[in-house]
Amino acid sequence: MDFLVVDVLGKPLWMWLTFVVVVLVLLALDLGVLHKDSREIGIKESFVLSAFYISLGLAFGGWIWYQSGEQAGLEYLTGFVVEKSLAMDNIFVIAMIFGYFSIPRAYQHRVLLWGILGVIILRGIMIAAGAAIVENYNWVLYIFAAFLIITGIKMLLTAEQEYDVSTNPVLKFLRKKLPVTDSLRGEKFMVRETDEKTGKLKTFITPLFLALVMVELADVIFAVDSIPAIFAITTDPYIVYTSNIFAILGLRALYFALSALIHRFAYLKYALSVVLIFIGSKIFLADMLGLAKIPPVVSLTVTLGILAAGIFGSLWATRNLPTDTSHGK
């Protein structure tokens, strides 16, 4: 059993295996028990599942605190909060994608499922590459920090602009190069149908597949923001990856919980902008103050304060707006 204590990216193998087992159990529970059939997920169920996933993410942070100490625990919790918050912004984009393709809620969970599986693999690759780069070229952290500041300022200036799916060049390319059905074919991504021009059977992709591609692409774009953000908090690959994945695992449940309340989060994007600017600035601020890094407890406190102000400020400002009850109860 000595192999279990072999060092893998700074942590013993058994810690990685523990994380993998937890994730596999959650995916099996989600796929094989909770949502094995296509159906609409109501708001109440979504909030319960969201609370479950958030509790698990926080509990895992407590376990890291116990195993690796206070600093590691605080870094994980800060990363988890930042990643979860950025995921909320991603939800707004996903809602626009589903709206553009007129995807019924009963089929949305299938797209989100495959989207999340893709995220787990994609972010693993990106984080491993980022960890290798940071380990060999520590100065890259300053590039990440500057990028976060620029991204935060850009997000702040364009907070009122909505994402226009129709202008996406990847979508235009797919529609030009691949045969697409004129409407959905249930929950199928691809179908074999007779081509009206040739009279022969041909493989067509469906709008559901296009929605999946757009969701995956949206995550790639958000990963470009979120991964530098977590590396600006900690360079420990284990904390970076686990906080990312635990924040993403509950994305499906969080989507269905918040999709009917999107109009209530008027100031969230402004808060996220300030968080990105703060996360990027603290690396330069630490150098100015002669510190190795800003203390994790300070980073966590400031991040929570900014997000709380954005969320509660939004809910208060929109308190008289009706809730969209068309998505189930």
Side-chain angles (χ1 to χ4, degrees):
M1 302 295 285
D2 291 344
F3 74 95
L4 291 176
V5 296
V6 172
D7 183 273
V8 179
L9 296 176
K11 289 291 186 291
L13 178 60
W14 70 266
M15 288 187 69
W16 286 100
L17 291 177
T18 299
F19 168 69
V20 170
V21 169
V22 171
V23 171
L24 290 177
V25 169
L26 288 174
L27 289 175
L29 176 67
D30 199 343
L31 294 178
V33 180
L34 298 178
H35 304 120
K36 60 181 179 179
D37 300 317
S38 295
R39 63 182 178 87
E40 182 174 338
I41 299 175
I43 295 176
K44 182 178 179 180
E45 179 184 354
S46 300
F47 273 116
V48 171
L49 286 173
S50 294
F52 170 72
Y53 278 111
I54 291 172
S55 297
L56 277 180
L58 294 176
F60 195 84
W63 181 73
I64 288 180
W65 192 314
Y66 174 77
Q67 288 292 334
S68 304
E70 177 183 350
Q71 178 167 323
L74 288 171
E75 288 175 348
Y76 170 90
L77 291 174
T78 305
F80 178 77
V81 169
V82 170
E83 295 300 323
K84 200 71 174 178
S85 303
L86 290 172
M88 289 175 67
D89 192 36
N90 200 2
I91 283 172
F92 300 158
V93 173
I94 292 173
M96 293 178 191
I97 292 171
F98 285 152
Y100 176 78
F101 289 105
S102 301
I103 306 297
R105 285 174 66 84
Y107 300 149
Q108 289 175 8
H109 83 97
R110 177 172 168 81
V111 174
L112 291 172
L113 165 65
W114 287 103
I116 289 172
L117 291 177
V119 166
I120 292 174
I121 297 171
L122 175 65
R123 295 215 176 183
I125 295 171
M126 295 178 70
I127 288 170
I133 293 172
V134 169
E135 183 178 359
N136 291 284
Y137 308 100
N138 193 258
W139 50 266
V140 171
L141 287 175
Y142 292 96
I143 296 178
F144 284 172
F147 175 77
L148 289 174
I149 294 172
I150 294 171
T151 301
I153 293 173
K154 182 180 177 181
M155 186 186 292
L156 198 62
L157 296 175
T158 60
E160 297 297 326
Q161 297 179 11
E162 290 191 353
Y163 176 61
D164 187 355
V165 182
S166 64
T167 61
N168 189 287
V170 174
L171 178 60
K172 291 181 177 179
F173 175 83
L174 291 175
R175 280 183 161 161
K176 182 178 180 181
K177 298 296 183 180
L178 299 176
V180 184
T181 59
D182 56 0
S183 61
L184 293 172
R185 299 296 189 268
E187 61 176 14
K188 293 180 180 179
F189 291 125
M190 297 182 184
V191 292
R192 292 277 292 173
E193 293 184 355
T194 301
D195 188 344
E196 294 181 356
K197 295 181 179 178
T198 64
K200 297 180 179 179
L201 283 177
K202 185 176 182 179
T203 300
F204 289 81
I205 62 173
T206 69
L208 197 68
F209 179 82
L210 293 178
L212 173 62
V213 173
M214 291 298 100
V215 168
E216 292 284 11
L217 185 62
D219 183 74
V220 171
I221 295 171
F222 276 90
V224 172
D225 294 337
S226 65
I227 290 178
I230 187 66
F231 271 113
I233 295 167
T234 177
T235 56
D236 185 330
Y238 188 79
I239 296 176
V240 171
Y241 190 58
T242 55
S243 62
N244 251 269
I245 298 308
F246 267 107
I248 292 298
L249 277 175
L251 180 60
R252 271 207 312 167
L254 192 63
Y255 168 79
F256 289 108
L258 296 183
S259 60
L261 303 172
I262 287 176
H263 61 295
R264 296 291 308 277
F265 292 92
Y267 303 138
L268 179 60
K269 184 160 285 191
Y270 294 102
L272 291 175
S273 304
V274 176
V275 167
L276 289 178
I277 294 170
F278 165 70
I279 295 295
S281 299
K282 71 188 189 70
I283 290 182
F284 297 107
L285 183 61
D287 280 355
M288 292 172 59
L289 297 176
L291 302 172
K293 62 166 59 178
I294 299 297
V297 66
V298 173
S299 297
L300 179 59
T301 302
V302 173
T303 300
L304 285 173
I306 295 170
L307 292 172
I311 292 173
F312 290 113
S314 296
L315 295 177
W316 175 259
T318 60
R319 62 191 182 280
N320 294 323
L321 294 179
T323 299
D324 182 358
T325 58
S326 63
H327 300 310
K329 298 179 180 179

